[in-house]
Amino acid sequence: MNDPYDVIIIGAGVVGCMVARALSRYQLRILLFEKEADIGMGASSANTAIVHAGYDPLPGTLKARMNVAANPMWDNLSGELNFPFERRGDYVVAIGPFELLKLDRLLDQGRRNGVPGMHLITGEEMRHREPNINPAVSGALWAPTGGLCDPFMVTVATAENAVQNGVQVLTSTAFMDFILDDHARIIGVKTTRGDFPCRWAVNAAGLYSDDVMHRAGVRPEFSITPRRGEYMVLDKAEITINNVLFPVPSEVSKGILVTASLHGNPLCGPTANDIPDKDDRATTSEGLEEIRQGALKMIPSLNLRHLIAMFSGLRANGNAPCETPGVEYNHDFIIEIPASPRGLVNLGGIESPGLTASPAIAQRVVELLKDAGEPLREKPGWDPIRPPRPRFCHLSREEQALLIARDPRYARVICRCELVTEGEIVAEINAPIPARTYDAIKRRTWLGTGRCLGGFDMPRVVEILAREQGISPLEVTKKGEGSGFLVRKTKLVEG
Amino acid sequence: MARKSKYDVVVIGSGPGGLAAAISAKKNGAEDVLIIERDLELGGILQQCIHNGFGLEVLKKDLPGPAYAQLYINEALALGVETLLDTMVLDVSPRRRIYATNKRDGVLDLEAHAIVLAMGCRERTRAQVRLPGTRPAGVYTAGTAQRWVNVEGYMPGKRFVILGSGDIGMIMARRLTFEGAKVERVLEVMPFLTGLMRNYVQCLMDYDIPLQLRHTVKRILGKDRVEAVESVQVDEHWNPIAGTEEIIPCDTLLLSVGLIPENELSRKAGVSLDPITGGPFVNNEFQTSVPGIFSAGNVVHVYDLVDWVTEAGLLAGKSAAAFAQRERESEIRHLPLLPGENVRYVIPHRVDKESLATGDVRLQMRVKQPIEAPVWVEVRSGEKLITRKGEPYVRPGEMVTLVLPSKVYDEVRQARELSLAVVGR
Ligand SMILES: Cc1cc2nc3c(=O)[nH]c(=O)nc-3n(C[C@H](O)[C@H](O)[C@H](O)COP(=O)(O)OP(=O)(O)OC[C@H]3O[C@@H](n4cnc5c(N)ncnc54)[C@H](O)[C@@H]3O)c2cc1C
Ligand SMILES: Cc1cc2nc3c(=O)[nH]c(=O)nc-3n(C[C@H](O)[C@H](O)[C@H](O)COP(=O)(O)OP(=O)(O)OC[C@H]3O[C@@H](n4cnc5c(N)ncnc54)[C@H](O)[C@@H]3O)c2cc1C
């Protein structure tokens, strides 16, 4: 076995990546590994992308604390890591007289959680702020600290910064088991790519965090029931929604929201349905119908024929009771160092607002390690800045000309809808966390997400991926092993 | 290679529509014609249509797509049409400025007296037909598969289901069968064929590929790669009929569910679009709502036969040449009036030379700085004095009027621009 790692992090979603970056500040040897072909392919790339203000979680829960602690961190984070983030604020919109009453409860809950700046506005004011809104709007709760991000790029930028600061990242590597010594102390993990010795292991396996902790014998009663959320993405050109609009929440979810993503597309969703299979990210006709109704209730003029994508994400809906005495709640986050086995940092049930909370969760992990006696010594020369890569479509014409003069590959447009150039694709393939699949390129550059859904760019991207990695186009995949695009050359008879 | 910064006619797209427009513009008196094409070669979508059936109506020939395109490519090049390949047009303004990029020239900023939009169309996608299920590899539009098979030489699957009875889908069903793949069936949600009958006979019937009308795909199955699709029959309101579901194992689903005119650039140019066709509103010369911007081919509405695309291109090119010629003449005829020393502005901005033949033209202007002494208000063509008027003083608050008399007509006819100045006497 090789030299042991100080810390191994299981799962490279936004939580695992934030923990890796927070720990990269210290003199530690760190490995972050992920079962999929790319990081961030789980919940972290299929969610609503809201940096929540913090009025939703029940006061006293870990969810509430982490949410409210993390919210103010996002401006600084986006500045350091150069990912898209906008503090647009958000609305919870009441339609008709009955829903109005629920706003008071949310406002009160938000104030108890310590959310700043919230207040109620009238239906008239809401119609003024969002002209497309249902005219039956009776009032709204305005939370100015709500924000919107590109969650996948948050994950990538965070992981890249961790790599810049010495963290190693392995993809296509799945956790199988812990290796324990005779004193019930974790001394390594078994993976599909062999055994890696370590002193600490962090469970950041999202949906599978229950299975991982059970391998260590921790919380056998804890289990995650995937709760699927489906979405519809509409064409940019068709309607402009200026705001983040939530309906009043129900018992199980925050309901069907309507907003525009940071890429400018109207986004509607998510549904909330418990399903048995942790792998089932299909969309369904029933789900789409539910979204349609919810979205039209908010914005009656929305034309859902201008659909350009459908996707779904799975919430890691757990059953951990809240540990604050007197708070009756059974879906709280788990953020702990269990007494046994030693050497485990256990994170579980990190569902919404897990994206928002992720930087605070990472901070909490650092504190827990300190409390456990880990001498965290700061690393000289730790660099918090992840340099951005140029996005052709965001540049002025003068900047475009300068960029092309430096590298003519930025003049070759590969995706016409989203205006992504060959230069950008090649830069992603050669980035600190290399994009190796079509979906990896798509999520980083937003290519193939416009109206033609990649019909034009797909053959070209496959060619570039093959050329840059020195492989055959037959080996290029959509999202990892088993998802190849092409099966053989033409003119060869099946053998 | 673009040699000039201003062209008589610029054609965007080099499919049969664009090629015909360029040829006819040149033949009808356009001085310089440029085609801008984002692909590496001319010909548009025809280059991947290696089957025959092109040119039956007008040329009375049965040609494969690339051969049909080549006829027009040869003609265009022989006429001296200039081309810029591997070049993407990013923006077109209503004033007919074109912004494009390519690896060789970087950023190109061109002007045109007339523009022909000939960007063709794009295929409708999975989302537009609202196909639920998983998102594995193996769901492609028929045109994307056609490009892979015919241009790049790769097979995108072994066992296919094709959704939609459009022409490209049926043609691909035959093509894939030739290449040794199995096409399980073609599903069509409508109670009738959406493509040409001749393609049904020649591409499906002749190869025993079943077509099921009133059927659609209910969902896609498979995590990494398509493993099957679930088909279902629909009633007359397109609602799925419970109990008719069938799982069809396959590794690829091809979509041939319609084409949409490609009008991103048209929108940017301020061209109004017809919500029914998805293309620009045009008059009988194929001029759009923006004067000087014409359009031809699938960008206007989706054609079934290439012959009519060529005809449309010929007409649009001719109209564009005529417009360009009028613009050119008007540029020669209309003189710009430029504010010179101590002049803030002059109205009118331009003078029609010919109007001087029949009468005087009154000019009005304001000065920048007051001069409390006698001055000349002069009109010059280059160094040459055309006319002048004395004023005892000038002040920015008081408008100055000056007449360009009819008698200077002959001198003005030679001029290319006039400038006004206020100078000390
Ligand atoms: C529909 C929906 C909407 C949401 N909306 C919001 C929102 O608006 N705002 C907000 O703050 N939060 C939101 N959330 C919650 C948020 O997305 C999650 O809390 C957050 O992404 C969790 O991050 P994670 O890293 O824990 O999980 P994940 O991103 O799922 O990462 C876990 C990673 O572990 C990997 N892994 C699993 N098992 C193994 C193994 N055996 N070996 C190696 N790797 C493994 C997985 O492949 C995965 O990449 C939403 C979630 C959903 C599903
Ligand atoms: C996949 C497919 C198969 C077909 N098969 C047949 C068939 O078998 N028989 C038949 O008769 N008809 C067929 N058709 C119909 C066919 O579309 C027309 O016959 C004809 O090719 C349309 O010509 P066009 O010039 O309008 O467009 P296209 O041939 O599509 O040409 C448009 C050109 O514009 C270029 N372009 C677009 N945007 C830009 C930009 N921003 N900058 C620069 N260049 C740009 C494109 O690269 C393309 O070369 C098929 C159509 C498709 C899409």
Side-chain angles (χ1 to χ4, degrees):
Chain A
M1 290 218 288
N2 317 325
D3 259 4
Y5 286 96
D6 295 304
V7 182
I8 288 185
I9 302 161
I10 305 160
V14 70
V15 171
C17 294
M18 284 285 176
V19 169
R21 177 183 188 246
L23 292 177
S24 74
R25 206 185 180 114
Y26 305 100
Q27 298 181 26
L28 297 169
R29 240 183 118 229
I30 303 168
L31 172 69
L32 167 65
F33 74 90
E34 166 57 51
K35 72 177 162 62
E36 302 294 333
D38 192 11
I39 65 170
M41 303 238 297
S44 301
S45 62
N47 56 59
T48 319
I50 305 289
V51 171
H52 288 290
Y55 51 81
D56 277 308
L58 203 63
T61 59
L62 209 43
K63 275 185 179 172
R65 259 168 57 209
M66 289 295 129
N67 185 338
V68 175
N71 178 290
M73 298 178 178
W74 280 79
D75 306 272
N76 203 14
L77 263 183
S78 82
E80 289 179 344
L81 298 176
N82 283 295
F83 57 72
F85 169 67
E86 267 179 38
R87 211 174 267 286
R88 274 191 203 168
D90 60 53
Y91 294 92
V92 181
V93 178
I95 309 284
F98 303 115
E99 294 186 356
L100 206 49
L101 303 173
K102 300 203 187 163
L103 298 184
D104 289 333
R105 196 184 56 79
L106 274 183
L107 175 64
D108 175 55
Q109 186 162 288
R111 290 196 171 140
R112 281 166 62 204
N113 285 343
V115 179
M118 294 172 59
H119 60 91
L120 297 175
I121 63 169
T122 62
E124 192 186 343
E125 176 65 15
M126 190 66 231
R127 282 191 291 275
H128 177 69
R129 296 194 191 181
E130 180 57 65
N132 295 308
I133 200 106
N134 186 338
V137 56
S138 49
L141 174 64
W142 163 238
T145 54
L148 201 60
C149 67
D150 173 341
F152 181 74
M153 279 319 291
V154 172
T155 308
V156 168
T158 306
E160 281 186 4
N161 186 238
V163 170
Q164 276 170 266
N165 288 302
V167 171
Q168 283 175 270
V169 175
L170 278 179
T171 50
S172 302
T173 307
F175 166 88
M176 290 159 64
D177 209 347
F178 292 104
I179 307 168
L180 298 163
D181 70 6
D182 298 338
H183 313 285
R185 163 137 215 133
I186 290 175
I187 54 164
V189 294
K190 277 187 190 305
T191 78
T192 48
R193 293 232 213 162
D195 297 352
F196 297 97
C198 64
R199 296 195 299 113
W200 286 99
V202 181
N203 174 11
L207 264 187
Y208 294 87
S209 54
D210 52 353
D211 298 349
V212 170
M213 67 180 85
H214 296 164
R215 284 280 164 189
V218 173
R219 292 188 184 245
E221 73 294 343
F222 177 72
S223 86
I224 287 177
T225 312
R227 180 169 291 166
R228 186 160 62 195
E230 300 178 46
Y231 295 87
M232 286 166 116
V233 184
L234 307 183
D235 195 330
K236 286 181 192 174
E238 299 310 329
I239 191 167
T240 312
I241 306 288
N242 302 313
N243 297 298
V244 177
L245 306 168
F246 286 102
V248 295
S250 73
E251 287 305 304
V252 288
S253 89
K254 299 183 199 63
I256 305 297
L257 125 156
V258 178
T259 186
S261 73
L262 283 188
H263 302 279
N265 298 89
L267 174 78
C268 314
T271 54
N273 292 300
D274 289 354
I275 56 165
D277 181 356
K278 288 183 178 175
D279 256 346
D280 186 359
R281 295 249 303 249
T283 51
T284 63
S285 349
E286 299 76 18
L288 297 178
E289 181 53 29
E290 189 184 332
I291 299 170
R292 200 180 69 81
Q293 287 176 12
L296 289 177
K297 182 173 172 199
M298 187 71 79
I299 307 278
S301 60
L302 212 57
N303 185 343
L304 293 143
R305 292 216 342 259
H306 299 129
L307 187 65
I308 59 168
M310 306 166 287
F311 66 91
S312 76
L314 301 179
R315 301 176 183 85
N317 166 233
N319 60 352
C322 172
E323 286 176 4
T324 311
V327 181
E328 197 66 34
Y329 185 68
N330 286 318
H331 306 284
D332 212 354
F333 290 166
I334 298 170
I335 307 171
E336 65 183 6
I337 292 184
S340 171
R342 281 181 299 154
L344 178 67
V345 178
N346 193 28
L347 309 177
I350 313 289
E351 58 175 337
S352 190
L355 166 67
T356 310
S358 58
I361 295 174
Q363 222 34 65
R364 182 81 195 113
V365 168
V366 171
E367 286 158 19
L368 287 173
L369 284 171
K370 279 186 183 158
D371 292 350
E374 186 64 26
L376 296 178
R377 272 186 300 274
E378 296 220 0
K379 200 188 279 177
W382 181 72
D383 184 358
I385 307 295
R386 182 202 70 125
R389 289 184 284 278
R391 280 284 161 262
F392 190 76
C393 64
H394 294 159
L395 302 178
S396 69
R397 291 195 176 165
E398 292 70 31
E399 291 167 324
Q400 290 180 341
L402 285 172
L403 182 61
I404 292 171
R406 219 175 61 215
D407 183 346
R409 289 175 297 190
Y410 285 92
R412 186 157 178 248
V413 176
I414 301 295
C415 170
R416 57 189 171 179
C417 309
E418 298 297 315
L419 205 58
V420 180
T421 64
E422 180 172 355
E424 290 160 89
I425 297 172
V426 171
E428 294 305 335
I429 298 173
N430 298 316
I433 303 215
R436 297 193 175 91
T437 64
Y438 178 85
D439 279 358
I441 304 259
K442 169 174 158 177
R443 292 197 163 121
R444 285 165 175 78
T445 61
W446 224 236
L447 134 167
T449 60
R451 247 167 264 181
C452 75
L453 281 185
F456 174 75
D457 70 69
M458 211 183 268
R460 289 163 179 84
V461 176
V462 168
E463 186 192 316
I464 296 171
L465 272 167
R467 183 191 74 206
E468 293 292 314
Q469 302 183 92
I471 58 178
S472 152
L474 295 171
E475 294 171 83
V476 175
T477 66
K478 183 171 189 295
K479 50 186 177 182
E481 211 183 313
S483 66
F485 285 97
L486 303 168
V487 299
R488 62 177 165 89
K489 292 204 151 197
T490 51
K491 303 185 183 70
L492 296 177
V493 183
E494 295 273 289
Chain B
M1 180 81 199
R3 294 177 199 90
K4 309 179 195 69
S5 61
K6 184 154 191 171
Y7 282 81
D8 240 9
V9 176
V10 171
V11 178
I12 305 173
S14 74
L19 287 169
I23 289 169
S24 127
K26 196 81 191 176
K27 283 186 173 167
N28 285 285
E31 285 182 353
D32 29 43
V33 177
L34 172 69
I35 298 182
I36 307 181
E37 168 57 54
R38 66 166 176 229
D39 222 317
L40 292 167
E41 52 183 356
L42 299 172
I45 205 79
L46 294 183
Q47 295 294 8
Q48 70 183 51
C49 299
I50 61 171
H51 56 280
N52 58 353
F54 291 85
L56 291 167
E57 297 291 329
V58 174
L59 296 179
K60 307 288 176 215
K61 284 184 187 161
D62 186 3
L63 299 172
Y68 183 92
Q70 200 58 46
L71 289 177
Y72 294 90
I73 294 172
N74 293 345
E75 187 175 1
L77 297 180
L79 285 167
V81 168
E82 292 177 42
T83 61
L84 265 174
L85 296 178
D86 206 5
T87 305
M88 180 86 160
V89 176
L90 300 180
D91 206 349
V92 174
S93 83
R95 304 295 300 272
R96 301 189 298 279
R97 279 188 93 101
I98 295 166
Y99 179 68
T101 74
N102 70 30
K103 275 191 175 178
R104 202 182 38 244
D105 308 294
V107 171
L108 292 148
D109 193 349
L110 307 172
E111 276 184 275
H113 284 132
I115 292 177
V116 182
L117 304 172
M119 289 91 69
C121 58
R122 60 176 65 175
E123 299 177 275
R124 298 221 304 156
T125 60
R126 170 173 182 182
Q128 280 147 343
V129 294
R130 235 187 248 193
L131 260 187
T134 52
R135 301 206 295 168
V139 183
Y140 310 119
T141 59
T144 301
Q146 190 178 43
R147 184 178 173 101
W148 261 324
V149 178
N150 292 347
V151 180
E152 324 234 331
Y154 287 100
M155 287 293 283
K158 296 177 182 168
R159 254 177 114 174
F160 291 78
V161 168
I162 299 179
L163 178 62
S165 62
D167 290 313
I168 317 170
M170 293 195 285
I171 286 164
M172 282 310 289
R174 175 178 64 181
R175 181 79 183 96
L176 293 164
T177 308
F178 283 162
E179 286 291 344
K182 177 92 178 92
V183 179
E184 295 292 339
R185 76 186 78 163
V186 177
L187 304 171
E188 171 58 59
V189 74
M190 297 304 223
F192 49 81
L193 199 66
T194 60
L196 296 171
M197 186 49 100
R198 85 171 187 220
N199 282 330
Y200 171 62
V201 176
Q202 295 170 5
C203 302
L204 301 188
M205 264 171 73
D206 288 359
Y207 297 88
D208 293 327
I209 298 167
L211 167 71
Q212 280 182 306
L213 298 176
R214 281 198 192 286
H215 276 73
T216 189
V217 170
K218 192 175 167 198
R219 62 192 175 111
I220 297 169
L221 293 96
K223 181 168 179 276
D224 297 319
R225 175 86 197 190
V226 173
E227 286 161 22
V229 297
E230 186 178 311
S231 72
V232 69
Q233 196 180 338
V234 298
D235 63 20
E236 50 277 27
H237 306 294
W238 293 282
N239 293 321
I241 302 175
T244 60
E245 292 87 356
E246 186 185 346
I247 301 282
I248 312 173
C250 60
D251 63 14
T252 313
L253 175 65
L254 287 196
L255 303 175
S256 180
V257 288
L259 303 169
I260 308 173
E262 158 102 38
N263 277 293
E264 305 293 82
L265 286 178
S266 322
R267 277 177 213 264
K268 290 187 182 167
V271 165
S272 346
L273 302 178
D274 177 348
I276 306 227
T277 57
F281 286 105
V282 289
N283 67 9
N284 59 323
E285 294 188 315
F286 283 112
Q287 184 163 223
T288 67
S289 61
V290 177
I293 301 189
F294 298 80
S295 60
N298 278 349
V299 79
V300 179
H301 65 148
V302 176
Y303 286 81
D304 46 6
L305 294 178
V306 72
D307 310 61
W308 312 127
V309 173
T310 300
E311 290 214 327
L314 292 174
L315 181 53
K318 185 176 170 196
S319 320
F323 188 94
Q325 199 162 341
R326 288 198 296 277
E327 278 290 292
R328 234 187 300 128
E329 283 164 5
S330 141
E331 269 174 21
I332 297 169
R333 198 170 137 162
H334 290 87
L335 278 177
L337 277 179
L338 305 175
E341 188 181 330
N342 201 21
V343 178
R344 198 154 78 90
Y345 70 84
V346 195
I347 294 296
H349 296 93
R350 288 169 160 259
V351 173
D352 180 353
K353 292 175 183 174
E354 294 309 314
S355 61
L356 277 176
T358 50
D360 299 347
V361 172
R362 185 165 52 201
L363 313 181
Q364 289 180 317
M365 55 192 241
R366 281 187 195 276
V367 295
K368 291 183 186 161
Q369 300 291 335
I371 303 179
E372 300 295 339
V375 293
W376 287 120
V377 183
E378 298 181 344
V379 179
R380 288 176 186 270
S381 159
E383 291 299 297
K384 191 162 179 263
L385 185 66
I386 302 288
T387 186
R388 71 177 176 186
K389 177 192 181 194
E391 292 281 356
Y393 60 84
V394 284
R395 291 170 191 153
E398 296 174 27
M399 193 191 290
V400 181
T401 298
L402 172 77
V403 167
L404 201 54
S406 177
K407 65 172 199 272
V408 300
Y409 174 60
D410 283 335
E411 285 158 275
V412 165
R413 268 183 63 187
Q414 314 302 321
R416 300 185 55 204
E417 57 182 39
L418 297 179
S419 62
L420 272 89
V422 175
V423 294
R425 240 197 273 174

